[in-house]
């Protein structure tokens, strides 16, 4: 991976943080120009291609574009195109700038690693979300002593809490920092210590895979699930091995994998568990529901409730919670059009969790149930209202894919209804941004 120029990273960040497409940037540039400058500008399509080449770092924008770019992004030209500050003769950065000095003397290698992580993180918006440059956060993390096992467990708890309460882009950005620190700690730890840290790596990788799925970056998410499985197996911890595989299967339902593949992942995990578990049964019930096997899905729910009644719980790390039983019930009963049972499950979810994604999705389940029962226009309008009420940063793929479930429930001969076309367009626009 080649390092991008800092100005290219900044251009891409400014655009993505506003959820603008290159074409929209091109239109803004044309609108910002005036007189002779606008008359000599290329076509809209050509200018959009130029925006892409700038962000790829192929060449720096020439006049008059630096000034126009700064104008449409609401920053100064110096802020947008300033080069990183040079170190002083003492090896320290000027006051008010970032220090690029890496610890332990491995300056060149660490600087390159930090630049790569900074470029990747800036692309997902950490510069705007975190409130300070990612390089400063990384420098801060790298300057601290390594963490104890208890501190790493607390870090896992923090990232899980973030996953349930914050935009997924922020979760990913924060995880990048801790994953980099964990890698460095593993490189200098004893074999016995590394085994324990593998458990932490598996858990953090699972959170990362989940967050990337919520962002719709399925290719990267699948690769992180591979890393999580490898780390879990290396730890030798059976609970963590099951946790990772259960989470991977569950996130697969949100546009990442087919329901058939998800069921295969569940069966593979059951072989490690020696039978069904509450986590795996919730995923199995939802996958069966997506395949239209409503009776089998209800039977799986019954098995889930029976197992939970016997005292079976999920993992001790904190991924699985009781509300997931009721969420699975809401999913299955709404898909089957069972309004009363879906409503009861929905109330239980709201009673037990403040997770914004669960809150939005169970309301989408209600809209889905309405569609299944024949109220197509009413259900679609309800769904559109739920999504519109969310801030754009919180409209994750978990939520948009639940909206897709609603579309799939509309009979084929009703797919051309105006309300369906409008809702399909809303989902497509959100997915694209």
């Amino acid at each position: 991976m080649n390092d991008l120029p800092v100005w290219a990273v900044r251009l891409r960040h400014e655009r993505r943080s506003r959820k603008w497409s290159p074409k929209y940037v091109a239109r803004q540039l044309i609108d910002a120009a005036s007189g002779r400058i606008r008359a000599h500008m290329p076509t809209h399509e050509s200018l959009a291609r130029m925006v892409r080449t700038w962000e790829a770092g192929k060449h720096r924008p020439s006049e008059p574009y630096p000034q126009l770019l700064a104008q449409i992004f609401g920053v100064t030209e110096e802020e947008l195109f300033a080069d990183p500050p040079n170190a002083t003769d003492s090896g320290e950065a000027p006051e008010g700038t970032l220090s690029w000095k890496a610890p332990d003397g491995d300056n060149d290698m660490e600087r390159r690693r930090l630049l790569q992580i900074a470029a990747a993180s800036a692309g997902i918006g950490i510069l705007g979300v975190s409130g300070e440059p990612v390089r400063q956060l990384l420098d801060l993390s790298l300057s601290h002593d390594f963490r104890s096992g208890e501190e790493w467990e607390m870090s896992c708890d923090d990232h899980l809490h973030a996953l349930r309460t914050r935009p997924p882009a922020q979760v990913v950005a924060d995880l990048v920092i801790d994953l980099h620190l964990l890698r460095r700690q593993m490189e200098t730890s004893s074999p016995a210590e590394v085994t324990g840290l593998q458990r932490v790596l598996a858990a953090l990788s699972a959170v990362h895979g989940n967050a990337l799925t919520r962002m719709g970056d399925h290719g990267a998410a699948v690769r992180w699930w591979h890393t999580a499985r490898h780390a879990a197996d290396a730890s030798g911890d059976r609970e963590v091995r099951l946790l990772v595989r259960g989470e991977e299967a569950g996130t697969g339902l949100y546009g990442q994998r087919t329901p058939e593949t998800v069921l295969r992942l569940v069966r593979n995990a059951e072989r490690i568990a020696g039978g069904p578990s509450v986590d795996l049964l919730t995923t199995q019930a939802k996958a069966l529901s997506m395949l239209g096997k409503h009776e089998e899905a209800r039977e799986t729910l019954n098995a889930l409730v029976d197992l939970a009644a016997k005292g079976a719980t999920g993992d001790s790390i904190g991924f699985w919670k009781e509300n997931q039983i009721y969420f699975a019930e809401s999913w299955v009963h709404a898909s089957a059009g069972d309004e009363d049972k879906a409503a009861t499950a929905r109330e239980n979810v709201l009673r037990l969790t403040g997770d914004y994604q669960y809150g939005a999705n169970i309301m989408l389940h209600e809209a889905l149930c309405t569609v299944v029962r024949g109220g197509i226009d009413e259900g679609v309008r309800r769904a559109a209202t739920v999504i519109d009420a969310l801030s754009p940063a919180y409209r994750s793929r978990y939520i948009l894919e639940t909206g897709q479930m609603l579309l799939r429930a509309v009979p084929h001969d009703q797919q051309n209804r105006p309300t369906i076309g409008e809702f399909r367009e809303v989902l497509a626009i959100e997915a694209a941004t």
Side-chain angles (χ1 to χ4, degrees), residues 253 258-260 262-264 266-267 280-301 331-332 335-336 405:
L253 293 169
T258 65
E260 292 88 351
V262 168
L263 289 174
R264 189 168 67 194
V266 168
R267 290 192 294 271
L280 296 174
L281 285 173
T282 57
T283 298
Q284 180 178 323
K286 290 182 279 190
L288 290 169
S289 177
M290 292 181 73
L291 291 170
K293 299 180 178 180
H294 300 299
E295 187 56 39
E296 289 184 51
R298 281 189 285 262
E299 291 173 359
T300 303
L301 283 181
W331 182 314
V332 169
S335 298
M405 283 174 54

Side-chain angles (χ1 to χ4, degrees), residues 29 67 83 90 114 146 155 160 225 272 287 318 329 379 431:
L29 289 171
Q67 181 180 356
D83 292 325
S90 64
L114 292 177
F146 289 148
S155 295
L160 272 173
W225 287 121
I272 297 175
E329 289 181 334

Side-chain angles (χ1 to χ4, degrees), residues 49-363:
R49 286 194 294 271
M50 289 170 62
V51 171
R52 296 187 184 96
T53 61
W54 296 336
E55 292 185 3
K58 294 182 178 179
H59 61 82
R60 188 171 179 143
S62 58
E63 293 298 336
Y65 297 111
Q67 181 180 356
L68 292 175
L69 286 163
Q71 180 179 335
I72 67 172
F73 290 138
V75 298
T76 67
E77 190 174 336
E78 290 72 21
E79 289 175 320
L80 198 56
F81 293 99
D83 292 325
N86 293 322
T88 64
D89 293 338
S90 64
E92 297 179 353
E95 183 178 358
T97 63
L98 302 179
S99 171
W100 288 87
K101 186 178 180 180
D104 303 328
D106 296 328
N107 291 340
D108 290 341
M109 183 177 296
E110 284 301 324
R111 184 182 294 111
R112 182 174 180 81
R113 287 171 177 167
L114 292 177
L115 278 167
Q116 290 174 340
I117 292 174
S121 298
I124 59 174
I126 185 174
L127 296 180
V129 173
S130 67
E132 64 178 318
V134 66
R135 292 185 293 275
Q136 189 172 12
L137 287 174
L138 285 168
D139 189 59
L140 178 65
S141 295
L142 291 170
S143 67
H144 286 181
D145 293 333
F146 289 148
R147 298 176 190 173
S148 66
E150 183 180 358
E151 288 172 325
W152 275 119
E153 288 181 10
M154 190 176 297
S155 295
C156 290
D157 290 341
D158 290 342
H159 289 300
L160 272 173
H161 176 69
L163 190 67
R164 292 166 179 144
T165 58
R166 299 171 191 159
Q170 183 178 348
V171 178
V172 169
D174 291 338
L175 271 165
V176 165
I177 299 166
D178 276 359
L179 285 165
H180 185 64
L181 180 60
L182 178 61
R183 177 195 60 77
R184 292 187 70 252
Q185 184 167 340
M186 293 176 74
E187 286 178 348
T188 58
S189 297
S190 67
E193 291 170 333
V194 168
T195 299
L197 292 174
Q198 292 282 11
R199 187 174 187 270
V200 177
L201 176 58
L204 291 183
S205 297
V207 177
H208 203 51
N210 190 313
L212 287 167
T213 302
R214 297 179 187 215
M215 292 177 65
D217 194 347
H218 296 307
V222 169
R223 291 189 290 275
W224 274 100
W225 287 121
H226 175 80
T227 298
R229 288 197 311 273
H230 182 77
D233 292 344
S235 75
D237 189 319
R238 179 172 172 272
E239 181 189 27
V240 176
R241 295 180 69 203
L242 287 172
L243 160 69
V244 166
R245 286 163 170 82
E247 287 296 305
E248 179 181 14
T251 59
L253 293 169
Y254 293 94
Q256 194 167 98
R257 290 182 160 119
T258 65
E260 292 88 351
T261 300
V262 168
L263 289 174
R264 189 168 67 194
L265 291 173
V266 168
R267 290 192 294 271
N268 290 341
E270 284 179 341
R271 283 196 284 270
I272 297 175
S277 70
V278 287
D279 187 16
L280 296 174
L281 285 173
T282 57
T283 298
Q284 180 178 323
K286 290 182 279 190
L288 290 169
S289 177
M290 292 181 73
L291 291 170
K293 299 180 178 180
H294 300 299
E295 187 56 39
E296 289 184 51
R298 281 189 285 262
E299 291 173 359
T300 303
L301 283 181
N302 293 334
L304 168 63
V305 172
D306 290 344
L307 192 59
K310 294 176 182 177
T313 59
D315 63 277
S316 62
I317 297 177
F319 279 77
W320 194 89
K321 293 184 178 295
E322 180 188 2
N323 59 60
Q324 295 185 30
I325 295 177
Y326 302 116
F327 184 78
E329 289 181 334
S330 173
W331 182 314
V332 169
H333 294 315
S335 298
D338 194 330
E339 196 169 34
D340 292 338
K341 289 183 178 179
T344 300
R346 187 165 60 251
E347 292 171 2
N348 284 325
V349 173
L350 291 174
R351 174 174 58 85
L352 291 170
T353 184
D355 187 320
Y356 73 93
Q357 303 215 72
Y358 272 18
N361 272 349
I362 59 170
M363 301 312 294

